[in-house]
């Protein structure tokens, strides 16, 4: 199934439900999200307005990001639109193309280098993204080092993988993949035909070439409540997973990834109503969903080693 249209709710639910991580990098100070959220039907309460300290931290974050973007792009970076233009190749296509890039996160590694994460995509004829909606959401990662007091680009991992088309629907989390191995977790939210998904990809920031260590993005949350018809045959469900890393059982190079899944599913029953189209469905009960799924490095990718991670069946 092609996941084409963005859907915010599942992404935000899983970000709120995600477990705390051991950081591989020191991210800039910013307002922290709530520690948890229900995976069920009730919407999370609106966030409290930022405090003066949070506003100051946010301004400092934007200033740090401005410095890094100007170190990479110079005056080609347009802070008024939070965009820059890059020339890069796209996976599966020959040659290079021009992309608009929007920065979404940055952090500083223990060795002092900086990491800047951006999302790029082709846009209009002038190379501008329209309302921060890209026609492709391509992950770009820049590694910078301070030399003689100025940030200098060391590496540009261009168009590594496809994410959500709207930059704001991609969340970067800096993690420890193992002791001394800083990593990047990317969460992207999608919707296709009323079924929502949040997908997680993992990258080793110390690798010469970035690739998704999961092989294929891992489902962190899914659901169909927004488009589910209570009187139709489809089962309505939501399930979201908090996630964290744990020491591997063997001597692998990366920690295991552990998901803790929680949610609920409506159990339908059919009832007959008058008329030729009289078959209708109603919720007979709601069952809780849960469990764990543990992924371990198998020498090539993170593979499911224990538990299960799949959507409920109707």
């Amino acid at each position: 199934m092609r996941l084409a249209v963005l859907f915010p709710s599942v992404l935000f639910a899983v970000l709120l439900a995600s477990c705390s991580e051991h950081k591989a990098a020191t991210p800039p100070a910013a307002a922290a999200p709530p520690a948890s959220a229900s995976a069920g039907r009730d919407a999370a309460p609106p966030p409290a307005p930022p405090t003066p300290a949070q506003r100051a931290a946010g301004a400092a974050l934007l200033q740090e990001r401005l410095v890094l973007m100007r170190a990479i792009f110079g005056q080609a970076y347009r802070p008024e639109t939070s965009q820059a233009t890059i020339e890069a190749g796209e996976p599966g296509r020959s040659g290079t193309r021009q992309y608009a890039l929007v920065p979404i996160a940055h952090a500083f590694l223990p060795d002092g280098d900086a990491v800047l994460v951006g999302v790029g995509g082709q846009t209009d004829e002038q190379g501008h993204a329209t309302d921060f909606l890209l026609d492709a959401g391509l992950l770009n990662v820049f590694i910078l080092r301070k030399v003689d007091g100025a940030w200098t680009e060391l590496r540009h991992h261009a168009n590594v993988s496809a994410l959500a088309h709207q930059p704001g629907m991609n969340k970067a989390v800096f993690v420890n993949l193992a002791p001394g191995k800083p990593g990047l977790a990317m969460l992207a939210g999608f919707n296709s035909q009323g079924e929502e998904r949040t997908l997680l990809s993992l990258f080793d920031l110390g690798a010469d070439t970035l690739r998704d260590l999961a092989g294929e993005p891992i489902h962190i949350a899914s659901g169909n409540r927004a488009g589910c018809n209570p009187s139709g045959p489809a089962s309505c469900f939501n399930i979201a997973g908090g996630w964290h890393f744990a020491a591997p059982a063997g001597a692998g190079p990366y920690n295991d990834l552990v998901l803790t899944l929680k949610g609920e599913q409506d159990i339908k029953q059919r009832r007959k109503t008058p008329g030729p189209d009289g078959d209708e469905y109603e919720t007979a009960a709601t069952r809780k969903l849960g469990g764990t799924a543990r992924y371990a490095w198998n020498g090539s990718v993170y593979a499911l080693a224990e538990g299960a991670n799949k959507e409920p069946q109707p």
Side-chain angles (χ1 to χ4, degrees):
M1 181 182 297
R2 181 178 174 87
L3 302 175
V5 183
L6 300 169
F7 194 94
S9 64
V10 169
L11 175 63
F12 291 150
V14 71
L15 293 179
L16 297 176
S18 295
C19 297
S20 299
E21 298 296 314
H22 296 293
K23 305 301 180 189
T26 304
S36 62
S38 170
R41 303 180 186 183
D42 297 333
T51 65
Q54 289 171 337
R55 286 195 294 270
L61 179 151
L62 293 177
Q63 180 60 32
E64 288 176 347
R65 198 165 296 168
L66 172 65
V67 170
L68 295 176
M69 287 294 289
R70 284 206 167 139
I72 299 168
F73 298 104
Q75 295 304 312
Y77 173 57
R78 301 179 295 275
E80 68 278 5
T81 60
S82 297
Q83 296 177 34
T85 301
I86 64 172
E87 186 83 17
E90 183 176 340
R93 302 186 62 150
S94 60
T96 61
R97 306 169 79 185
Q98 194 172 68
Y99 299 88
L101 182 134
V102 179
I104 63 169
H106 71 278
F108 301 98
L109 300 175
D111 63 5
D113 288 350
V115 181
L116 186 139
V117 179
V119 181
Q122 281 193 299
T123 52
D124 60 26
E125 294 180 355
Q126 289 75 40
H128 299 159
T130 304
D131 295 331
F132 290 91
L133 183 65
L134 304 165
D135 71 349
L138 298 170
L139 173 65
N140 284 258
V141 178
F142 299 84
I143 310 294
L144 301 95
R145 179 168 295 168
K146 186 166 280 190
V147 178
D148 296 330
W151 288 107
T152 301
E153 180 184 328
L154 291 182
R155 290 189 300 279
H156 174 202
H157 300 284
N159 294 349
V160 174
S161 65
L163 304 171
H165 293 208
Q166 186 175 338
M169 293 310 301
N170 299 297
K171 175 71 174 180
V173 183
F174 296 97
V175 299
N176 273 326
L177 295 172
K181 284 187 179 292
L184 173 67
M186 291 299 306
L187 296 104
F190 303 89
N191 175 277
S192 177
Q193 299 178 349
E195 293 191 11
E196 307 151 20
R197 301 283 184 272
T198 301
L199 306 179
L200 170 69
S201 296
L202 297 172
F203 302 91
D204 184 345
L205 290 174
D208 292 334
T209 301
L210 289 194
R211 68 179 182 92
D212 189 350
L213 300 179
E216 295 290 337
I218 296 171
H219 284 207
I220 296 295
S222 60
N224 66 350
R225 288 200 183 280
C228 188
N229 180 4
S231 63
S235 175
C236 304
F237 71 95
N238 266 358
I239 186 166
W243 55 278
H244 67 279
F245 290 98
Y254 299 118
N255 289 328
D256 291 355
L257 173 70
V258 181
L259 275 58
T260 304
L261 303 166
K262 294 182 180 180
E264 61 185 17
Q265 177 183 19
D266 292 343
I267 300 172
K268 295 291 187 70
Q269 68 179 14
R270 179 159 40 184
R271 61 187 179 88
K272 184 73 174 178
T273 57
D277 302 321
D279 284 342
E280 291 189 3
Y281 293 79
E282 63 181 3
T283 298
T286 300
R287 70 183 181 101
K288 297 296 181 181
L289 304 174
T292 60
R294 190 180 187 107
Y295 293 80
W297 183 252
N298 67 4
S300 177
V301 297
Y302 270 94
L304 186 65
E306 297 177 12
N309 182 4
K310 60 184 181 180
E311 297 133 15
Q313 298 301 312

